[in-house]
Each structure stands twice: as structure tokens, then as C-alpha cells.
Amino acid sequence: MIKSSFLRQSIIALVVKTSAAGLSFAMFLALARALPSDAFGQMGFAFSLATLLSVVGSFGQRALVLKYASIHTADGNNAALGGVLMFGYQRILLGGVALCLALAAWVLLTGSNARYLMWAGPLALALSLAEFQAHFLRAYDTMIAALVPRDIIWRLAVIASAGALIWTNSTDASAALALAIMTLSLLFIAAVQLAHQKTMRSLLRAPLPVPDSMARLWHRTSLGLWGVSMVKSAGPNLAVVMLGVILTPAETGPFFSALRVSMVLSLFLMAANMAGASGIARSFAQTDQSGLQHICTSAARAIALPTIAGFILIALLGKPVLRLFGEGFDAAYVPLLILSAGYLISALSGPTALVMETTGHERPYFRILTRITCLFLALMPLAIYVGGITGAAAMLAGNMIATQLLCYRYILRELHIAPGILSRRPHAAAYD
């Protein structure tokens, strides 16, 4: 029963995420067609900034609520369940409002002409709330209720709004208008999602007291989860932010489009992580080395073919796909290939991050991730000055590949398994 339930939810998640990947492409394509090229570059810069700020302002509450809501749901501890929900909402709202005020103050006090950036704060708050609610609902295995509002309905709403701008041939289309549409529609959808969840409303309406020791545990745990999530989010989003600061919006837009197209290749690894997470954790707990190796090899081989096929399609059709976003966007074809190669090598390396996070090696993973990300981000400005968007793509792909290979090496040495497409020979550990 548990196995069939997990399989069903994995299939639902895969279908939703696959649909979301297509809709994400369509959403940014529609916005690119609705906005002038400079405005689209500004929107891409602000969206990446908002995505990064949503991670900063959520203080690790997404992963925290997914972890502890699952635990407290299983043991029937409604006091703790309501407590961790309220704990998360309070910190997300506090952090989100603080970021909104800080960003607005910076724009106003510096006299910046980039007034559209004032929408990055509210959009960050909307993203934080929507993701937090989705993570909480996943604890109940309600994948449809958790994922569909943000991943499907919100994107459809933005596509419809962009379509209206295209149809009316609006001359008022701007980055600020696009960001306002994205923000307000997401806040409305998150509010409707909360209104339809009786359990969440009842837990928030009459929260029960929780021990101080439990609140302190949540605080300590959330700090660690916050650090990992910020470093993970820093690479792609800070690359776009740095480009927006150093180059013009017209140059940032094509890179943002190339990044979004290449991210489609990460879908297959994400699906494998969803399907293999419990099996990897269970095999490790049972010290089933062969079972752990089998799951990793099967996952890597399952995603290898579609990821390679996707890379070939991008190589063949990359230029016309980029032209759909706007005239001259095919200038990002080489960066698109570089970014896609990074995602391809990451996929062939297998679920390295998942293995380290589910086998008690979170801290070594965090150290590897932090050191490599900081190194490549430090080199990013120089790479942009020297190579433009191609230099930025090279740094971002290098960050992905180096992190994956170092994690691969760590797993090979410490766990004696190969998480990639080539399985480890049973006697290989003797030669370490």
C-alpha cells in the first residue's frame, strides 16, 4: 500500500512538473512577445532577483515544514503540526515584508530609474508563500493540491494576461506591469489555495502551545536548511542579476531565455530524485549496498537517454527556439549550448545531491556546494566583462559540473557506490 501510494504520488508529481516545465517556457515566451526587448531583460533581471530574495526571506521554512509536518502528521501531534505551520508563516511574512521595505527604500533613496525593481520584493514574498504552502501540503501526500495552483494555474494566468497584452497590442507593456501581474495573480492563487484547505485554516485559527525546546529545534534546523537553499539558488539567479548590473537589459534578456530553455534538461533528474528518494534512504538505513547502487544506476540510466535526446534537440533547434523570444535572441545560442552541456553532465552524474542529503552526508555536501559556488560566483564578474553572456554561461555550467563531480568523487570514496550511469564493481572498494 505504501509503495503503491508513493508510486502514484511520484507519477502525479512527474506529470505536474512536466506540464509546469512546458508552461514555464510558454509563460516566458508569451512575456517576451508582449514586452519590448529591453523590458523583457528588465523583467528577467527582476524575476531572478525575486527568486533569490524569496529563498533569503523564507529562512529555510519550506524544507523545514516539509520535514516536520510529515513527522507530526504521522505521529498525530496536531499541536506541533500547527506550531510548525505558524512558525513558518510568521518568519516568511516578517522576512518578506522586511525585504519589500528595504528594496523600496533603496530604489527611492538612490533615485534609481529602475522603479520596476520595487515589484521584486512583493513577488519574492508571493513566491515564498506559495512554495511554503505547497511544501506543507506535500506532507499529506496531496500532490495535486500542493503543486497545481503554483505550477499550473499561476502560469496559465500569466500566459493569459500576456496574451491579452499581445492581442490588444498594448503600448503600456513594461517590466513593472509584467511583474505586477505575476505578483498579484500568485498572491490571489495562494490565498484561494489556503481558503480551500480546512486543515490549514483550523490549525492557524486555534494554534496549540508547543514546548520551547521544539521551537528551538525548528530554529536550529531551519538555519541549516536555509544555508543549503540559498547556495543552491545563488548560482543561476545571481548570474542573471550580475548580468543585469554589468550589461544592458537587451543583453540580459537573451541569456535569461537561454537559461530557461536549458533548465528543461534538469526536469528528468528532478523526476528521478522524486521517484528514488525513499528507496535510497531505505537502502542506506538497511545497509543494502547493492540495493543502493541499483537504485542510483537505474535512476541515472533512466534519465540519460531523454536528457541526451533533449540536448541534441536543443543543439539542432536552439536558434529558432531562441528567436521565438524576440529578434536577435539567437545571439545566446552558444551560451544555450554551454548551459545545456552543464545540465547534461549533471544528469549523467546521477542523483549525487539526493544521495548525500538522504544518507547523512548533508554537511559535506553543503561544504562542497558552498566552496564551488562561491568560487565561480567570484569569477563571474570578470567572466562577464571578458566574455559577456558566454562567459556567464561558462561560469554557471562550470559551477554545476564541478559540484557534481566532487560530490560524485565523495560518494565513490565514502559510500563505495557510483551514482552515475556506470555502476560500481562489487570488488572495487578493495582498490580505494
Side-chain angles (χ1 to χ4, degrees):
M1 185 68 179
I2 294 175
K3 183 178 180 180
S4 62
S5 174
F6 171 77
L7 179 61
R8 182 174 65 253
Q9 297 304 325
S10 297
I11 293 173
I12 292 172
L14 178 58
V15 171
V16 173
K17 286 298 183 182
T18 303
S19 303
L23 288 174
S24 179
F25 174 83
M27 181 179 78
F28 288 111
L29 177 59
L31 289 170
R33 306 301 295 182
L35 300 174
S37 59
D38 280 2
F40 180 72
Q42 292 171 343
M43 187 280 302
F45 171 74
F47 183 85
S48 297
L49 179 61
T51 303
L52 185 61
L53 290 178
S54 73
V55 176
V56 174
S58 65
F59 299 109
Q61 300 307 308
R62 306 173 191 180
L64 182 81
V65 80
L66 177 61
K67 176 178 180 177
Y68 284 102
S70 301
I71 294 171
H72 300 319
T73 298
D75 60 24
N77 190 343
N78 284 337
L81 187 61
V84 75
L85 183 61
M86 183 65 74
F87 183 89
Y89 269 120
Q90 288 173 344
R91 279 147 185 81
I92 285 176
L93 289 171
L94 180 64
V97 171
L99 287 173
C100 288
L101 294 175
L103 195 56
W106 178 82
V107 172
L108 294 174
L109 293 176
T110 59
S112 173
N113 292 325
R115 294 298 178 92
Y116 66 92
L117 285 178
M118 294 179 68
W119 279 103
L123 179 56
L125 177 58
L127 290 168
S128 295
L129 287 170
E131 285 292 334
F132 176 73
Q133 290 180 178
H135 279 67
F136 179 83
L137 290 172
R138 281 171 58 188
Y140 293 97
D141 285 337
T142 53
M143 283 291 182
I144 293 178
L147 301 179
V148 167
R150 183 203 182 286
D151 286 350
I152 305 297
I153 298 175
W154 176 58
R155 287 181 168 92
L156 287 173
V158 176
I159 291 170
S161 300
L165 292 175
I166 296 170
W167 184 62
T168 58
N169 197 24
S170 174
T171 57
D172 297 325
S174 64
L177 178 59
L179 293 164
I181 290 171
M182 299 170 85
T183 301
L184 297 176
S185 59
L186 185 55
L187 284 173
F188 176 76
I189 289 169
V192 172
Q193 183 185 44
L194 176 59
H196 279 76
Q197 292 297 325
K198 294 182 179 179
T199 301
M200 291 180 69
R201 294 203 318 274
S202 63
L203 290 170
L204 291 171
R205 191 180 297 117
L208 299 173
V210 297
D212 291 340
S213 59
M214 186 172 289
R216 288 195 297 269
L217 174 62
W218 294 339
H219 179 72
R220 289 195 305 271
T221 305
S222 63
L223 289 178
L225 296 170
W226 186 35
V228 172
S229 62
M230 282 199 298
V231 177
K232 278 185 175 181
S233 178
N237 292 301
L238 272 181
V240 178
V241 171
M242 287 182 184
L243 277 170
V245 171
I246 297 172
L247 304 180
T248 65
E251 293 172 295
T252 304
F255 179 85
F256 182 73
S257 300
L259 178 60
R260 289 289 152 179
V261 173
S262 66
M263 280 182 170
V264 173
L265 296 182
S266 68
L267 171 69
F268 306 108
L269 180 57
M270 180 179 64
N273 287 342
M274 287 181 182
S278 66
I280 290 174
R282 184 170 56 249
S283 296
F284 179 75
Q286 297 172 349
T287 62
D288 182 3
Q289 195 79 357
S290 61
L292 185 59
Q293 178 65 77
H294 175 73
I295 293 172
C296 290
T297 304
S298 299
R301 290 177 179 174
I303 63 179
L305 184 59
T307 306
I308 292 171
F311 179 81
I312 293 172
L313 284 175
I314 286 175
L316 294 175
L317 304 176
K319 286 189 175 181
V321 168
L322 288 171
R323 289 193 198 105
L324 294 174
F325 287 88
E327 184 178 352
F329 275 51
D330 56 351
Y333 175 67
V334 172
L336 173 60
L337 289 182
I338 294 172
L339 291 168
S340 299
Y343 283 111
L344 173 62
I345 294 173
S346 294
L348 296 180
S349 300
T352 55
L354 178 66
V355 171
M356 294 188 72
E357 289 179 328
T358 54
T359 58
H361 295 83
E362 300 92 344
R363 291 193 177 188
Y365 173 61
F366 179 67
R367 287 196 296 269
I368 292 172
L369 184 66
T370 301
R371 290 168 182 170
I372 297 300
T373 301
C374 288
L375 172 64
F376 279 92
L377 286 179
L379 296 173
M380 183 77 72
L382 177 62
I384 293 173
Y385 278 116
V386 173
I389 60 176
T390 302
M395 290 298 101
L396 194 52
N399 183 17
M400 286 188 282
I401 294 170
T403 301
Q404 282 289 97
L405 294 182
L406 285 176
C407 289
Y408 189 99
R409 180 188 174 196
Y410 179 91
I411 294 168
L412 201 63
R413 185 181 69 244
E414 299 296 330
L415 297 178
H416 306 298
I417 63 166
I421 57 174
L422 299 176
S423 62
R424 189 172 176 84
R425 298 186 306 274
H427 58 279
Y431 298 97
D432 289 339

